[in-house]
Every structure is written in C-alpha cells, then in structure tokens.
Amino acid sequence: MAKIVSNFKYAIFLIASGLFVGVFTFLILSLPGIYRDTVSVFILPPAIAALFTLISFTSARKLRVSGKRLARMLGLFFIMAYIFIESIFVIITFHTIEALLLLIPADLVLMSIPLFIIFSRGKKQEGLEFNNNLTSRLQSLVGTNAPEVYTKASVGLMFGGSTDDEPWKIIIYKHALEGLNDEELDMLMLEIYYKKLLKTGRKTVNFAFSLVTFLFDAYIALYVVDMNVAPVYTPYFIGAELGLFIVILLIPLIFSRVAMQGNIAVDKQILSHNGNRMALISLINKENDHEPAAMMTQRQYNRFKDKQKMNAKKRIENLDNID
C-alpha cells in the first residue's frame, strides 16, 4: 500500500523548507563580499555534497546495500557531488568567461551518472537462484543461445531485470512468479531479453543526460556571458533563456516519446516470437499497476495512478502500429 501523507503535513513541510532556504540565503547574502565568496566556494559545496551523500545513504540502506560496497558507493557519490557543486558555485560566484572552463568537470560528472548507476548496482548479484523451468521456456522462444534465468527476492517494484556481468542473466523477482501467469511470464522474459539486446534503457538514459547536460551548459553560459557584456544585449539573452525554458517544459514529452519508441521496438520483437497479444497487454497493465515507493498526498497518488493508466494505454495503442 502507498504511504499517503495529509495535505496539511505536506504543506507544513514545504513551508518549513522554503523558510529554511530563504533565511539561509538571506544570511549568506548579508555577509561582506569577501566572506560571502569564502563561504560560497569553501564551505557550502562540501556541506551540500555531504547532505546529498547522507540522503543517498538512507536510500541505499533501504535497498539493503551494506559493507565495503556501500562505503565505495558513498565515497564516489560524495566526490562526484562535490566536484559538480564546487564547479557551479565557483562559476556563479566569480562569473568570468574563464570560469566557464569549470563546466568541463561538471559535465563529466553529469555524463558519468549512468556509469555510476551501473557501478552502484554492482555486477555481481547476490541471492540468485537458477530456475531451470524458466530457462527452458525462454530457450524454446528465442533459441538455445538465450541467457539463463534466475529468480530473486526483491523489495523493488519491477517484475524483473538483467545483470551486467558476462554472460549476462535474466532475473525474475519472486513476487512476479506469484502475480503473473505462465503466458505473462513468457512475455516478461521476452521483454527483458529484448530490452537488454536492443539497449533501450541505456539509450534512453544516455539521451536524457545528454539533453540535461546541454541545457545546463547553455543556461550557465548565458548567465556568465550576460554578466560580461553591455546591458544593451540583455534582451537577447532573455529571449534565449526563454527558449531554453520552453525546451525544459517539453522535456517530459521528449523523454516520453523516446521511451515510447523503445517500447515499440521491444514489443515488435516480442510479438514476432510470441504472437499472444492479449498476454502482452495483460503484462503491460500489471507493470503499470504498482504502488509508489515514496510518500504522497492523496492528490499526488491519484495523479500517479492516472499517469500509470495513461502509459499503459499509449503502449497498448502502439501495438496496433506494429506490423
């Protein structure tokens, strides 16, 4: 069940957060220039990076990550966060053209996030149990070169996934064995198999971070250049920033389109090996009918469920466009 938080508590949290940020910002801006620059460059970046690391620590503990793997992951996360935040604060504080060179390490951090996600997952998956029945069924669908299928207990919301080692494996989480019938399990294995072969997830993530990096660089560059040119050019920079803002508003639509194209490619391969369209539709509906992991207000929860239904509807409608 979803954790529903009352609108009152949510509003209090937002107000408290806004007051804290506002008061903190006022105190920083009220400092004399030299002290403000010192705080902005030497104190705030490591403090904010440490805060983000603490938040990631709580998330990692919920996913049962511990030991040396947790220490390595948190250490690397802190370094990445510090480099990124330090670069931004130095650029904004001094806003010189030369400071834009610090976009290079900031961009490297952004573009390395997909690699960090793979690193944090770890190539070696613990608690895997080989399933001969599922492996045989997958081989009967795609051939003897199909990967082995394993089962695993999971606290996640997905039905399955794949490993990053060689040879790679398909993982079916045990709650999927209880919630799906045999036909839906066949479709699930085919879905994971072709998502891995076509690299749809990795392509979507790489595109997303490339777009975010471009927009981030453009905004920072416009800000710095605007601070170093004559005021007569300010309207042009405002127009450029407005254009970037419109692109940012369209990001969810862009990402949705890219993900949809990936799903079409995967579904086409699935139906070419198993034409049971009704089983695939049933799987799609069940994949888009899980409870959210985070706490939400009732209104947020309703929007979350509506979005799930819309995603399932769009993907099912796209099945009609597959030859």
Side-chain angles (χ1 to χ4, degrees), residues 194-206:
Y194 283 111
K195 279 185 176 180
K196 182 72 173 183
L197 287 188
L198 299 176
K199 300 180 180 180
T200 55
R202 182 167 298 186
K203 290 178 181 178
T204 301
V205 170
N206 289 339

Side-chain angles (χ1 to χ4, degrees), residues 24 35 67 108 142 175 197 204 232 235 268 283 297-298:
F24 186 78
Y35 296 110
L108 290 176
V142 299
H175 64 267
L197 287 188
T204 301
V232 68
K268 183 176 182 179
L283 173 65
T297 65
Q298 188 63 52

Side-chain angles (χ1 to χ4, degrees), residues 85-106:
I85 297 170
E86 183 71 61
S87 300
I88 301 309
F89 271 72
V90 171
I91 293 173
I92 294 176
T93 300
F94 299 105
H95 50 74
T96 62
I97 299 298
E98 293 79 7
L100 288 176
L101 290 173
L102 290 174
L103 284 175
I104 296 175

Side-chain angles (χ1 to χ4, degrees), residues 100-120:
L100 288 176
L101 290 173
L102 290 174
L103 284 175
I104 296 175
D107 288 352
L108 290 176
V109 170
L110 282 177
M111 297 303 294
S112 67
I113 290 178
L115 296 177
F116 174 77
I117 294 173
I118 296 175
F119 169 81
S120 62

Side-chain angles (χ1 to χ4, degrees), residues 110-111 114 200-216 246-264 307 311 314 318:
L110 282 177
M111 297 303 294
T200 55
R202 182 167 298 186
K203 290 178 181 178
T204 301
V205 170
N206 289 339
F207 172 79
F209 279 100
S210 298
L211 180 59
V212 169
T213 301
F214 167 77
L215 295 175
F216 166 77
I246 294 174
V247 175
I248 290 175
L249 293 179
L250 294 176
I251 282 180
L253 180 62
I254 296 171
F255 288 174
S256 175
R257 183 67 181 178
V258 173
M260 182 177 64
Q261 292 300 319
N263 285 332
I264 290 175
K307 185 175 181 180
N311 290 338
K314 288 182 178 179
N318 287 328

Side-chain angles (χ1 to χ4, degrees), residues 56-296:
S56 68
F57 170 75
T58 58
S59 301
R61 294 295 292 176
K62 289 180 180 180
L63 296 175
R64 300 176 183 177
V65 180
S66 60
K68 293 182 179 179
R69 179 184 167 196
L70 176 61
R72 289 194 300 266
M73 184 183 76
L74 293 179
L76 182 58
F77 182 88
F78 175 80
I79 293 172
M80 293 171 60
Y82 173 73
I83 292 174
F84 179 80
I85 297 170
E86 183 71 61
S87 300
I88 301 309
F89 271 72
V90 171
I91 293 173
I92 294 176
T93 300
F94 299 105
H95 50 74
T96 62
I97 299 298
E98 293 79 7
L100 288 176
L101 290 173
L102 290 174
L103 284 175
I104 296 175
D107 288 352
L108 290 176
V109 170
L110 282 177
M111 297 303 294
S112 67
I113 290 178
L115 296 177
F116 174 77
I117 294 173
I118 296 175
F119 169 81
S120 62
R121 287 199 312 174
K123 288 185 176 295
K124 185 178 180 181
Q125 298 282 343
E126 303 291 342
L128 297 181
E129 300 176 8
F130 176 70
N131 191 299
N132 184 65
N133 177 43
L134 293 179
T135 300
S136 299
R137 283 162 55 181
L138 180 60
Q139 289 178 346
S140 67
L141 292 170
V142 299
T144 56
N145 291 327
E148 295 179 339
V149 182
Y150 290 74
T151 58
K152 178 183 179 181
S154 174
V155 295
L157 303 175
M158 298 187 300
F159 286 142
S162 59
T163 64
D164 297 313
D165 55 352
E166 292 294 340
W168 63 279
K169 308 174 184 66
I170 286 179
I171 303 174
I172 303 297
Y173 297 129
K174 290 185 177 179
H175 64 267
L177 300 176
E178 302 171 356
L180 303 179
N181 58 38
D182 288 344
E183 293 178 336
E184 292 165 345
L185 278 173
D186 288 343
M187 290 296 177
L188 175 62
M189 289 190 292
L190 287 173
E191 180 183 59
I192 298 171
Y193 177 75
Y194 283 111
K195 279 185 176 180
K196 182 72 173 183
L197 287 188
L198 299 176
K199 300 180 180 180
T200 55
R202 182 167 298 186
K203 290 178 181 178
T204 301
V205 170
N206 289 339
F207 172 79
F209 279 100
S210 298
L211 180 59
V212 169
T213 301
F214 167 77
L215 295 175
F216 166 77
D217 286 355
Y219 255 112
I220 296 295
L222 284 173
Y223 165 78
V224 172
V225 175
D226 189 22
M227 296 291 290
N228 287 274
V229 298
V232 68
Y233 296 106
T234 297
Y236 299 103
F237 287 98
I238 293 177
E241 290 172 0
L242 179 60
L244 287 176
F245 181 72
I246 294 174
V247 175
I248 290 175
L249 293 179
L250 294 176
I251 282 180
L253 180 62
I254 296 171
F255 288 174
S256 175
R257 183 67 181 178
V258 173
M260 182 177 64
Q261 292 300 319
N263 285 332
I264 290 175
V266 170
D267 292 340
K268 183 176 182 179
Q269 293 294 330
I270 292 174
L271 294 177
S272 68
H273 283 84
N274 187 333
N276 193 340
R277 185 180 295 256
M278 296 307 299
L280 179 57
I281 291 175
S282 178
L283 173 65
I284 293 172
N285 284 323
K286 289 185 177 180
E287 286 179 328
N288 288 277
D289 188 28
H290 59 75
E291 297 296 322
M295 291 189 297
M296 295 182 173

